[in-house]
Amino acid sequence: MKNNPIGIFDSGIGGLTVANAIKEVLPYENIIYFGDTKHLPYGEKSKDSIQNFSRKIIQFLIKKNCKVIVIACNSASSVSDNSVLNYSENKKVFNVIDPVIEEVVRVCSNYNIGVIGTKATIGSGIYTSKIQELCNSANVSSLSTPLLAPMIEEGFVNEEISKKVISNYLSAPILRNIDHLILACTHYPLIQNEINEYYKGKVNVIDSAKIVAHHIAESLESENLLKETKETEHHFYVSDYTESFEKSARFFFKEEVKLEEVNLHL
Ligand code: DGL
């Protein structure tokens, strides 16, 4: 069991930011990644559809003998209730929301916290309700930024277009007085430099991927599930082959990536 892979999924390349952070903290773990590129963007889909995609992908990762599963997608994490989690056959399932909320509540109480994410994530209200449940002095302002994930997925990063779209969203009056900004979509670390440039150091932009990776490492260690051998083998699957996915996987993993297309009949 210890030497079995960690299963990670997202709608596309966003979850690779989490996979990459996990690889940095746990360099000897094997990773199986599934990008549901056929159904991207998840942020525009209904709760039922996202839950249905998540169930099928979890079943696929369990068949691949994953020892734990990481829902590396805020949109899917925000709707993952027991009707989804029960498909993990008692393997632990991590989401990308709870570890970030714990950290934010620890360091950011009494502050104005901004949250940006997809329509599905922001519409679920999960960040606001969970932060305020743990810390009622925190003031949370959230904004859905639906163009960002498709823009990043299409490779529009560090360009005139991306800078304009980003500054258009971040200048929204609702985000005017924030001290911290949670990037509540796993695609967004890919534009973190542009977001930092926009704020010029005045807002603390929170890197969720690192927080989630440390949380997973601690949990695997405490449950005695860390891999014992050093050689690694990663596998990448998508529901629809895209060149941008292959390029990003290669960029993050700095190795030849063999991308396999699989049909999960979703
Ligand atoms: N990266 C995902 C998230 O964290 C999904 C983006 C999308 O497919 O809309 O929400």
Side-chain angles (χ1 to χ4, degrees):
M1 174 83 152
K2 288 181 180 185
N3 291 331
N4 288 8
I6 298 177
I8 304 177
F9 75 92
D10 178 42
S11 60
I13 61 173
L16 289 171
T17 59
V18 179
N20 187 49
I22 292 174
K23 187 174 70 102
E24 273 170 16
V25 180
L26 297 167
Y28 305 129
E29 294 294 330
N30 288 330
I31 288 172
I32 296 199
Y33 188 94
F34 187 89
D36 192 9
T37 41
K38 195 172 181 176
H39 300 106
L40 183 130
Y42 273 11
E44 304 294 304
K45 305 290 184 301
S46 68
K47 176 179 173 182
D48 276 359
S49 299
I50 302 172
Q51 287 182 329
N52 200 27
F53 302 149
S54 304
R55 281 192 274 268
K56 286 271 169 62
I57 299 166
I58 288 174
Q59 280 176 310
F60 170 78
L61 294 172
I62 291 294
K63 269 207 199 111
K64 294 278 174 200
N65 289 322
C66 292
K67 60 182 171 187
V68 292
I69 289 176
V70 183
I71 307 179
C73 170
N74 282 265
S75 311
S77 295
S78 71
V79 296
S80 65
D81 56 19
N82 284 340
S83 76
V84 173
L85 304 179
N86 287 343
Y87 281 72
S88 74
E89 298 184 4
N90 293 326
K91 301 282 182 328
K92 192 157 186 169
V93 180
F94 296 94
N95 66 63
V96 285
I97 297 178
D98 291 329
V100 176
I101 286 179
E102 269 169 39
E103 179 68 11
V104 164
V105 167
R106 207 174 56 77
V107 298
C108 314
S109 54
N110 295 320
Y111 286 109
N112 292 319
I113 300 164
V115 185
I116 55 170
T118 66
K119 277 190 201 160
T121 302
I122 300 303
S124 75
I126 194 161
Y127 276 89
T128 309
S129 62
K130 286 200 172 189
I131 292 173
Q132 285 180 341
E133 200 176 289
L134 295 172
C135 175
N136 54 17
S137 57
N139 189 19
V140 186
S141 313
S142 38
L143 179 74
S144 69
T145 48
L147 288 180
L148 296 183
M151 177 187 87
I152 295 163
E153 196 74 29
E154 285 301 321
F156 286 103
V157 171
N158 282 318
E159 301 208 13
E160 274 314 301
I161 293 183
S162 57
K163 286 193 187 10
K164 281 216 173 101
V165 176
I166 291 165
S167 85
N168 197 287
Y169 279 136
L170 298 183
S171 60
I174 195 166
L175 297 178
R176 196 172 290 144
N177 295 318
I178 60 169
D179 310 292
H180 303 271
L181 180 69
I182 301 176
L183 305 183
C185 172
T186 54
H187 280 71
Y188 299 176
L190 292 162
I191 51 166
Q192 189 160 350
N193 287 343
E194 287 169 89
I195 295 177
N196 282 333
E197 254 170 51
Y198 175 86
Y199 283 120
K200 299 192 172 56
K202 288 187 203 111
V203 167
N204 169 35
V205 180
I206 296 168
D207 181 347
S208 306
K210 267 196 201 141
I211 298 171
V212 170
H214 282 286
H215 172 80
I216 292 170
E218 276 164 28
S219 170
L220 290 184
E221 188 169 8
S222 75
E223 298 195 15
N224 204 15
L225 274 178
L226 288 174
K227 183 161 158 277
E228 285 169 331
T229 53
K230 289 200 169 167
E231 50 299 328
T232 55
E233 194 182 320
H234 307 307
H235 289 273
F236 298 86
Y237 299 90
V238 282
S239 48
D240 198 13
Y241 176 85
T242 69
E243 232 170 67
S244 68
F245 188 98
E246 199 163 57
K247 244 202 239 158
S248 303
R250 225 181 286 134
F251 169 77
F252 279 125
F253 280 75
K254 302 193 176 52
E255 60 184 64
E256 208 32 61
V257 168
K258 270 189 265 112
L259 195 55
E260 284 177 56
E261 190 178 278
V262 285
N263 185 352
L264 296 187
H265 304 285
L266 291 167

